[in-house]
Amino acid sequence: MPQQINNFIDGQWIPSRSRSPLPSVNPATEELLAHAWNSDAQDVDVAVLAAQAAYNSWRLMPAPRRGEILFQVAHLLTERKQEISRLMTSEMGKVLTEAQGDVQEAIDMAYYMAGEGRRLMGYTAPVEMPNKFGMALRDSVGVVGLITPWNFPIAVPSWKMLPALIAGNTVIWKPGEDVPATAAAFVKVFEDAGLPAGVLNLVTGAGDTGAALVDHPGVRVISFTGSTTTGLGVYTRAAKLGKKVTLEMGGKNAIIVMDDANLSLAVDAINWSAFGTTGQRCTACSRLIVQRGIKPRLVEALVEKARSLKLGYGLEPDVEVGPLVNQRALDKVAGYMDVARDEGVRVLVGGGRPANMDKGFFFEPTLFDGVLAGMRVEQEEIFGPVLSIVEVESLDEAIQVSNSVPYGLSSSIFTENVNAAFRAMRDLTTGIVYINHGTTGAEIQFPFGGTRGTGNGMREAGQAGLDTYTEWKSVYVDFSGRLQRAQIDTGDALDQD
Ligand code: ADP
C-alpha cells in the first residue's frame, strides 16, 4: 500500500487544503511508493503563520538549548540511518551506500550546527572612545523558506535547516516533488527530537508550492538548490520583495588528468565522480580534460570500467548504478545523445537505455570522445551518467578549458607534480577545488558553493553557511556615564567634559 504523506504544520501532520495529490514513484521499479500533496498558496500561508507564531519563543531560547535539540536530531538520525537510507533509495534511486552517505552528511551537519549553539561567534573590536565597548553579534532573521531538489533528499536540506534553526529562525521547507516520503521521515526526526511546534514546517508540492513560498511576504529568506533556470526565476521574484536569497544551481565540473598522474587513482575517481548517483550530483564530473600522452591508457581503462558497472535497483547489494530519477530526466539525457551525434562526437561506451531492463528509468554509463571545448555537450549540464572527454596539450590549456564554462562549482586535477598542483589550486576558478581526488565529496565544515552561474556568491555549510540565516547586529555600550563626542575634524577620540 502506498504511504500517505501529509504536511507538517505547527506540530501536526495534516493534509493539504488543496486535496491535490502528488504521487511518489520508485524510479527503479516504477511502482507507486507514496502519495503526498501538491500544496497550494493557502497551505503555505498557514505554515508561515505557524512559523511566525513560533519565532519569538524559539529565538529567545538560549542557543545552547537549541543546540541540545539538534544533538538529539543527530542521535536519532544515526539510529534511523538504515531505515531512512533504504527509503531514499526506493524513492529516488541512488544506490544504498550512497544513500547512507547522504544521511551521514546530515548527521555530521547536525553535530556541527548543534555545536554552534555554544559558539555562533560574533566579535569585539577596540572602539574610538574611552569607556565604551563595541561588539558584533549574529542575530536571527525570522521565517526562512527552503526549496530543495530530489538528488540529495536529506543532505542538502540539512545544510539549510540546521544552520537556520541553530541561529534562531523558524523554517518552512518545500522538498523536491520526487522525494516527499524521505522528507517526511527527516522531519519526523526533528519532531521526535523535541523541536517545538511551528519551528520546522513541511509543505510538500511542486514548482507552484515553491513559488508561493518565494512570493509570501512573511518569508524573509529563501535558500534554493536546483536548476539554473528555476533558481534565477526565484532570485528575480525574491529580489522584488527585498528578500535575502542563497542559490546553488548547476555545474559542469571537470577533472584534469596530466601525463604524470597516478593512473589507477585517476580512473577510480573519474568513474565514481561521473557515474556515482547516476551522474545526478551538482558536483558530478561531466568533463574529463586529459593531456595527450596519458589519454590512450586512461580512456581504455575508463571504457573497461564503465562497461563493467552493474545497473539496477539500489537496494540490491552488488548494484553500482541506479536509475535516473524520472522519465523527464531520462528524456533529457537521451536528448543529449542526439546533440552529441550532431556535434560529431564519438560514443565510446553506453549511449542508450540498457537492452535487458524494461522497467525503471535506467541509462547506460556513457563516454563521449573527440569532444572540443565549446561544444554543447562540453558546456551544458546534462545531469546524467555522461562524461565528455576533451584532449589538451598543456596545463595552461587544461585550466583554460576547465574554467571556460558558464558554471563554477567543482574542479579537480590529477598530477604528481607539486608545482602543477599549486598552479591549478590558484588558477581554477571554481568554489571547490580537489587535488588528486574526484570532483565530489565535500565535507560540511567547509563552505560549499560555486562561482559564475552556479550561485549568487553565497555559500552553504561551514561558518559561511551561517551567513544566509543571520543578520549582523552591531552593539555599542557607553559606560562612561557622561557626554562623549568624537572630534570630527581629526577623527581623534576626545573626552569632552
Ligand atoms: P529539478 O527538477 O531538476 O529538481 P528544479 O529547479 O525544477 O530542478 O527544482 C528544484 C526545486 O525547486 C524543487 O523543489 C522544485 O519543486 C522547486 N521549484 C520548481 N519551480 C519553482 C518555482 N517557479 N518557484 C519556486 N520553486 C520552484
Side-chain angles (χ1 to χ4, degrees):
M1 268 291 282
Q3 199 191 344
Q4 176 65 54
I5 306 296
N6 283 334
N7 288 335
F8 185 68
I9 298 178
D10 205 14
Q12 305 292 322
W13 293 93
I14 53 170
S16 157
R17 294 173 182 222
S18 73
R19 301 280 161 175
S20 158
L22 181 74
S24 175
V25 170
N26 180 327
T29 62
E30 298 183 43
E31 281 162 9
L32 185 65
L33 184 90
H35 272 299
W37 300 107
N38 203 356
S39 306
D40 63 14
Q42 247 199 323
D43 297 308
V44 170
D45 194 46
V46 173
V48 173
L49 286 175
Q52 283 173 328
Y55 174 57
N56 217 30
S57 54
W58 181 244
R59 89 179 166 87
L60 293 176
M61 182 186 284
R65 298 282 91 78
R66 295 198 295 261
E68 283 164 18
I69 296 175
L70 298 196
F71 274 121
Q72 189 57 20
V73 167
H75 295 155
L76 289 179
L77 209 46
T78 307
E79 272 175 35
R80 297 179 195 177
K81 182 173 170 180
Q82 297 315 323
E83 149 201 347
I84 296 177
S85 305
R86 294 182 75 82
L87 176 61
M88 185 189 303
T89 295
S90 62
E91 193 168 40
M92 56 68 67
K94 70 170 74 170
V95 299
L96 186 59
T97 47
E98 292 178 356
Q100 288 161 345
D102 193 316
V103 178
Q104 185 59 44
E105 196 147 315
I107 294 169
D108 296 343
M109 190 55 126
Y111 278 121
Y112 183 86
M113 285 298 165
E116 279 307 309
R118 288 187 185 272
R119 279 188 299 266
L120 278 177
M121 301 292 191
Y123 62 95
T124 68
V127 298
E128 295 170 359
M129 304 291 282
N131 299 323
K132 198 175 158 198
F133 186 81
M135 57 191 156
L137 311 171
R138 283 191 187 272
D139 207 359
S140 58
V141 189
V143 176
V144 308
L146 312 179
I147 301 172
T148 57
W150 47 266
N151 66 335
F152 279 87
I154 300 280
V156 166
S158 84
W159 299 349
K160 302 181 191 295
M161 62 177 69
L162 291 159
L165 292 174
I166 198 63
N169 305 283
T170 53
V171 174
I172 297 156
W173 175 30
K174 207 297 281 175
E177 50 266 49
D178 296 284
V179 286
T182 312
F186 193 24
V187 169
K188 185 86 177 72
V189 168
F190 288 83
E191 182 190 19
D192 295 346
L195 196 72
V199 172
L200 171 63
N201 303 278
L202 172 73
V203 180
T204 61
D208 287 348
T209 317
L213 196 53
V214 174
D215 292 341
H216 198 294
V219 178
R220 298 288 309 124
V221 176
I222 294 290
S223 180
F224 169 91
T225 300
S227 66
T228 302
T229 318
T230 306
L232 292 179
V234 164
Y235 202 21
T236 311
R237 293 166 84 131
K240 287 199 180 123
L241 297 166
K243 298 188 185 196
K244 191 171 180 184
V245 180
T246 288
L247 301 172
E248 293 295 346
M249 303 181 288
K252 190 69 187 174
N253 315 296
I255 294 181
I256 296 172
V257 180
M258 303 301 293
D259 282 346
D260 65 3
N262 178 322
L263 187 77
S264 58
L265 272 188
V267 169
D268 196 58
I270 294 163
N271 180 62
W272 172 245
S273 300
F275 304 132
T277 318
T278 323
Q280 302 170 106
R281 292 174 174 229
C282 335
T283 53
C285 170
S286 60
R287 296 182 297 151
L288 167 62
I289 302 172
V290 56
Q291 209 174 4
R292 177 177 293 184
I294 197 170
K295 187 183 166 200
R297 282 182 298 142
L298 180 63
V299 169
E300 189 188 334
L302 285 172
V303 168
E304 194 183 323
K305 189 90 188 163
R307 276 214 182 97
S308 74
L309 290 172
K310 183 165 170 24
L311 272 60
Y313 187 11
L315 288 183
E316 287 162 19
D318 50 347
V319 166
E320 294 165 289
V321 180
L324 292 162
V325 69
N326 54 32
Q327 184 66 46
R328 194 160 53 94
L330 185 61
D331 292 345
K332 180 179 172 192
V333 174
Y336 272 99
M337 301 306 120
D338 299 335
V339 174
R341 195 193 49 233
D342 293 348
E343 290 184 315
V345 161
R346 233 164 0 109
V347 179
L348 295 179
V349 62
R353 301 198 57 176
N356 53 351
M357 300 172 90
D358 53 349
K359 280 271 179 248
F361 309 117
F362 292 95
F363 200 89
E364 295 168 318
T366 298
L367 288 173
F368 289 159
D369 196 13
V371 175
L372 302 177
M375 284 180 173
R376 281 185 63 194
V377 293
E378 197 266 337
Q379 293 282 310
E380 296 175 14
E381 188 178 47
I382 299 173
F383 225 57
V386 181
L387 180 67
S388 293
I389 303 171
V390 184
E391 182 182 303
V392 292
E393 296 285 339
S394 64
L395 177 62
D396 283 342
E397 190 188 354
I399 290 174
Q400 195 259 331
V401 170
S402 181
N403 288 342
S404 301
V405 287
Y407 304 105
L409 183 53
S410 177
S411 57
S412 149
I413 183 166
F414 279 79
T415 177
E416 301 287 287
N417 178 333
V418 71
N419 299 337
F422 268 80
R423 279 209 31 225
M425 189 173 87
R426 185 191 64 191
D427 294 338
L428 287 168
T429 54
T430 47
I432 307 168
V433 173
Y434 291 97
I435 311 289
N436 291 327
H437 188 288
T439 50
T440 64
E443 298 189 23
I444 55 94
Q445 64 274 32
F446 295 107
F448 180 95
T451 59
R452 297 189 286 277
T454 293
N456 62 340
M458 302 298 286
R459 292 289 184 272
E460 301 197 273
Q463 293 295 296
L466 291 166
D467 293 344
T468 302
Y469 308 102
T470 54
E471 301 260 29
W472 283 107
K473 181 184 276 179
S474 300
V475 181
Y476 299 91
V477 182
D478 187 325
F479 55 96
S480 66
R482 56 192 171 173
L483 184 65
Q484 300 193 92
R485 211 169 272 144
Q487 194 176 60
I488 292 163
D489 286 354
T490 63
D492 286 344
L494 184 69
D495 194 359
Q496 295 184 345
D497 59 347

